Amino acid sequence: MPFWVYTDHAWFEREIETMFRPAWHFAGLASSVGKAGDFFTLRLLGESLLVVRGDDGEVRVFRNSCSHRGSLILDQEAGNCRALRCPYHSWTYSLEGVLKYAPGLDQYGRHELPGLGKNLVRVPSGIREGLIFVHLGDLANSPTLDDYLGNFTSTVAVPHQTAQMIAVNQREYVLDSNWKLYVEVDMETLHTKHIHRSSIGAQPVTSPLSEGNWIGVYHESEHTPALHPSERRTGFPHTRGLTGAASRGTHFSILLPGFFVVTAQDTMWWIHKIPESATRTRVRVGYSFPTSTTERTDFDELSKRYYKRLDQVIEEDDWITEHQQKGLNSSAPGCYLPEEHVVHRLDNWILDQVLGA
């Protein structure tokens, strides 16, 4: 594609409206809000969201904004609370988002407050195999969550037992690069022999059949790709209940447009690319393991090997995408090589969305 689709503001705005607003986006793991009052916050497309499990056991997603004057309800990354209290004027909501206490509205009884239309604004969400998804656009003109995911659930999530996963290490940062560069690098193995020479090396892949809004590649190997090649025989055991291709290798999947998730036999990690501008990308990284693995006595010690290797690979991709962005402003369009056929497919999908099929 021409360089300006990675730098132009008008094109970027078109991407937000045609791809990101109509999409379902990964928010986190349901296991991260395992009991009533557990919550976490996140930013997606410039909006602050609050994910919380209610007293009734249901996981809900709200706009993290008080219905009085719009202040953030919670600014912690995660925690547990008995109610949702705004720090500005102490307006307080139940874990289900219902207004329960509102200084300044003393003329109304507690039982009358929920009927004033001042409850928290709920965001459409859904959970599939332990993965929480949210929708920030016009739901009436968008596909359902199941239609959006297509056969990702049956091909990747169910066989890899993603519902067993516990997030154990997460971080967030911003890169000076276009979001597409970071998605493209995930979908080809041509660069692994160069950028990841000491961390991955050659990694042959095939392309599984994908239906819905996802694409991916598959690497068959009895050994985990989440450890350095010299340590791959010393990792954790395979996740319980793996079936089919999941028991024989690793899926590297992009839930379009920007959620990259890797499901291996022993772990799952993600690198979520969220556009901030045409040349800046917010990155959410998370590492997770099955519950049974996190309960092992050697988990803290052995997991460090995983973090070290995964951090190295991600830092290498961080570097090359920012490095690539610096050279794009005056470049001519390049070409796709055979090993980049999935990138070619990805970029054509992007063009179809932005320009209209």
Side-chain angles (χ1 to χ4, degrees):
M1 295 194 288
F3 75 88
W4 50 264
V5 304
Y6 301 92
T7 59
D8 182 73
H9 178 72
W11 181 272
F12 168 78
E13 291 294 331
R14 180 72 176 163
E15 289 179 338
I16 297 298
E17 294 307 313
T18 60
M19 283 189 293
F20 285 88
R21 287 295 173 188
W24 286 88
H25 300 279
F26 173 75
L29 300 185
S31 59
S32 296
V33 284
K35 60 182 182 295
D38 284 353
F39 72 86
F40 64 85
T41 60
L42 70 154
R43 289 192 65 81
L44 281 176
L45 307 185
E47 300 187 37
S48 181
L49 304 179
L50 168 61
V51 182
V52 60
R53 188 176 292 272
D55 285 318
D56 59 357
E58 183 177 348
V59 175
R60 295 174 176 84
V61 182
F62 300 104
R63 297 192 184 279
N64 189 13
S65 177
C66 182
S67 59
H68 176 212
R69 296 286 298 280
S71 174
L72 288 178
I73 301 293
L74 296 170
D75 60 0
Q76 305 100 309
E77 291 183 3
N80 182 273
C81 61
R82 296 178 60 183
L84 306 174
R85 176 184 172 275
C86 174
Y88 196 176
H89 299 101
S90 293
W91 278 36
T92 304
Y93 308 82
S94 71
L95 298 178
E96 291 73 41
V98 177
L99 183 62
K100 293 295 186 180
Y101 175 66
L105 293 178
D106 303 312
Q107 68 271 34
Y108 296 97
R110 184 181 179 92
H111 67 281
E112 297 177 287
L113 292 177
L116 297 179
K118 298 295 184 181
N119 299 327
L120 294 182
V121 177
R122 191 168 176 180
V123 175
S125 63
I127 300 175
R128 298 295 183 271
E129 297 303 314
L131 310 176
I132 304 173
F133 296 94
V134 298
H135 194 283
L136 297 176
D138 181 2
L139 196 59
N141 296 316
S142 300
T144 66
L145 175 56
D146 288 323
D147 287 342
Y148 199 88
L149 296 178
N151 69 338
F152 171 81
T153 305
S154 60
T155 302
V156 178
V158 171
H160 280 282
Q161 298 292 307
T162 59
Q164 294 190 36
M165 294 297 169
I166 304 291
V168 296
N169 194 322
Q170 300 183 79
R171 66 183 186 277
E172 187 172 309
Y173 53 92
V174 176
L175 291 179
D176 291 323
S177 64
N178 184 274
W179 69 275
K180 294 186 294 297
L181 299 182
Y182 210 156
V183 176
E184 290 169 348
V185 77
D186 291 329
M187 287 292 100
E188 52 95 343
T189 57
L190 181 63
H191 79 287
T192 60
K193 297 184 288 290
H194 311 284
I195 302 303
H196 305 304
R197 184 179 297 111
S198 64
S199 56
I200 297 178
Q203 186 170 268
V205 296
T206 56
S207 300
L209 175 66
S210 60
E211 301 169 355
N213 292 278
W214 76 282
I215 57 177
V217 295
Y218 173 75
H219 172 62
E220 184 167 341
S221 173
E222 63 178 301
H223 303 301
T224 179
L227 288 173
H228 189 275
S230 65
E231 298 180 328
R232 286 179 179 170
R233 296 181 181 273
T234 64
F236 293 124
H238 288 190
T239 303
R240 296 172 184 170
L242 298 184
T243 59
S247 65
R248 302 189 300 272
T250 300
H251 282 93
F252 300 81
S253 309
I254 295 283
L255 279 169
L256 299 163
F259 177 55
F260 176 59
V261 58
V262 185
T263 45
Q265 293 110 313
D266 54 348
T267 183
M268 176 178 77
W269 72 95
W270 59 86
I271 313 171
H272 193 181
K273 292 84 170 178
I274 306 165
E276 296 253 305
S277 73
T279 56
R280 286 174 64 82
T281 301
R282 180 176 299 277
V283 181
R284 298 174 62 216
V285 174
Y287 304 152
S288 63
F289 293 90
T291 305
S292 58
T293 297
T294 64
E295 294 171 347
R296 289 170 57 102
T297 57
D298 60 351
F299 176 75
D300 288 342
E301 183 61 31
L302 189 52
S303 61
K304 294 176 183 177
R305 302 180 188 176
Y306 287 81
Y307 304 152
K308 180 180 179 181
R309 185 271 179 190
L310 294 175
D311 286 348
Q312 178 185 353
V313 174
I314 291 172
E315 288 167 4
E316 289 165 350
D317 281 337
D318 287 351
W319 172 80
I320 195 57
T321 54
E322 288 190 316
H323 186 76
Q324 184 182 8
Q325 184 74 46
K326 294 175 183 177
L328 282 174
N329 291 333
S330 58
S331 67
C335 63
Y336 300 100
L337 300 180
E339 288 179 80
E340 299 170 304
H341 66 95
V342 183
V343 178
H344 185 210
R345 179 183 170 192
L346 167 69
D347 288 347
N348 272 309
W349 181 87
I350 292 172
L351 292 177
D352 283 346
Q353 307 309 305
V354 177
L355 301 178

